[in-house]
Amino acid sequence: MENLHKGHRERLRQSYIENGPDGMHEHQLLELLLTYAIPRRDTNPIAHRLLDKSAFGSLWEVLNAGPKELMAVEGIGESAAVLLSLVGAMGRRAKAKGMAAQKKRLNTPDAAMRYCKSLPFNDTNESMYMVCLDKNYRILHTQLIGTGTPGEVTIYPRAVVECAVRYGAQNIIICHNHPSGDLRPSVDDRETTAKIINAVSAIGIGFSDHVIVGGDNAFSMFRESGLNVKAEESTARAAEGKE
């Protein structure tokens, strides 16, 4: 049985070397990765358990899970859980740092939409990212700040403020996905945007855009309604409203 497993693992490796990740199914990629932490067991059923809807449902969700969540799945021990979580964390950090290193300026709706479409959104559930920018709209940090259901994701303005302060942001962009592909902002999307604008403008941080991603397309709420709000402008308007 060990020789059978060894031969299968070798075929998986060769398939990856010859065809790359695009030539393999998600369960095969996960199965191959698990062989490096589970050398003497068949990792195929474990990969399928992880991808089952009763567990994580997709490769993206698996690689975004924490070690303790992963260890709740049968067959996943500490070493495998750390490996899976570490690969996901490294990929996210490398991608964000790579974009920042290129001095990407997200100072237009088109630039914001291009960047947001490059983020690793889930195909089945909504999730939201926050992009911290400096005064020249260059990327400082990109953070996943919430995951939800196929129809909604709940974000608390306090979490946005804390992230902005932590990374020294002077402007921010938020972006989330609509798995349905419908790019139209919902009532909740607009209400969440208004709450976040109020929260960050109160501490002198500008709100640049809220981008909605659906498949290969994106929608800029800035472009739709002139959403871009400088901190000083929104603060001034708030003060006028109190008079």
Side-chain angles (χ1 to χ4, degrees):
M1 184 63 71
E2 172 62 24
N3 288 336
L4 177 63
H5 291 163
K6 184 175 180 180
H8 180 59
R9 289 194 293 267
E10 180 60 30
R11 286 191 294 274
L12 283 174
R13 281 194 291 270
Q14 289 305 314
S15 177
Y16 181 81
I17 291 170
E18 293 173 11
N19 305 311
D22 292 338
M24 301 176 71
H25 296 293
E26 284 196 350
H27 76 271
Q28 293 174 316
L29 291 169
L30 193 53
E31 184 182 351
L32 175 58
L33 180 59
L34 286 169
T35 63
Y36 292 95
I38 309 174
R40 293 182 177 83
R41 290 178 60 189
D42 182 6
T43 58
N44 179 276
I46 303 174
H48 281 287
R49 278 198 290 272
L50 286 165
L51 293 172
D52 190 84
K53 290 183 179 180
S54 64
F56 298 102
S58 71
L59 182 60
W60 188 92
E61 290 283 5
V62 171
L63 296 180
N64 277 276
K68 291 182 179 179
E69 295 175 285
L70 292 162
M71 282 190 286
V73 176
E74 180 186 352
I76 297 295
E78 185 176 280
S79 295
V82 169
L83 176 64
L84 292 171
S85 179
L86 181 61
V87 167
M90 289 174 65
R92 292 190 301 275
R93 179 172 295 188
K95 188 169 189 176
K97 293 291 185 181
M99 293 295 286
Q102 294 173 34
K103 302 295 184 182
K104 290 288 184 180
R105 293 186 66 190
L106 307 186
N107 58 339
T108 67
D110 285 339
M113 288 189 290
R114 279 195 301 272
Y115 180 72
C116 290
K117 286 193 295 183
S118 75
L119 296 174
F121 285 107
N122 190 297
D123 291 334
T124 56
N125 295 322
E126 287 195 14
S127 53
M128 183 172 285
Y129 284 88
M130 173 178 167
V131 187
C132 297
L133 308 170
D134 66 13
K135 65 180 180 180
N136 294 314
Y137 301 93
R138 292 191 176 95
I139 300 169
L140 296 171
H141 180 75
T142 301
Q143 180 82 34
L144 177 68
I145 57 173
T147 57
T149 66
E152 65 176 355
V153 56
T154 301
I155 299 299
Y156 297 100
R158 178 178 177 180
V160 174
V161 168
E162 289 175 350
C163 184
V165 171
R166 184 181 307 122
Y167 293 101
Q170 292 181 275
N171 299 282
I172 69 163
I173 291 171
I174 60 172
C175 55
H176 80 286
N177 66 317
H178 283 180
S180 67
D182 184 352
L183 297 176
R184 291 173 296 181
S186 66
V187 172
D188 285 342
D189 292 339
R190 296 185 187 281
E191 290 178 351
T192 296
T193 302
K195 290 176 182 177
I196 292 175
I197 287 173
N198 289 336
V200 297
S201 65
I203 58 171
I205 294 174
F207 188 96
S208 297
D209 208 341
H210 183 170
V211 174
I212 299 173
V213 175
D216 295 327
N217 300 309
F219 175 87
S220 162
M221 291 178 70
F222 169 87
R223 173 167 287 171
E224 177 207 30
S225 60
L227 179 64
N228 185 286
V229 177
K230 295 289 188 180
E232 61 270 21
E233 294 172 351
S234 56
T235 303
R237 282 198 296 272
E240 289 172 3
K242 292 178 180 178
E243 292 177 356

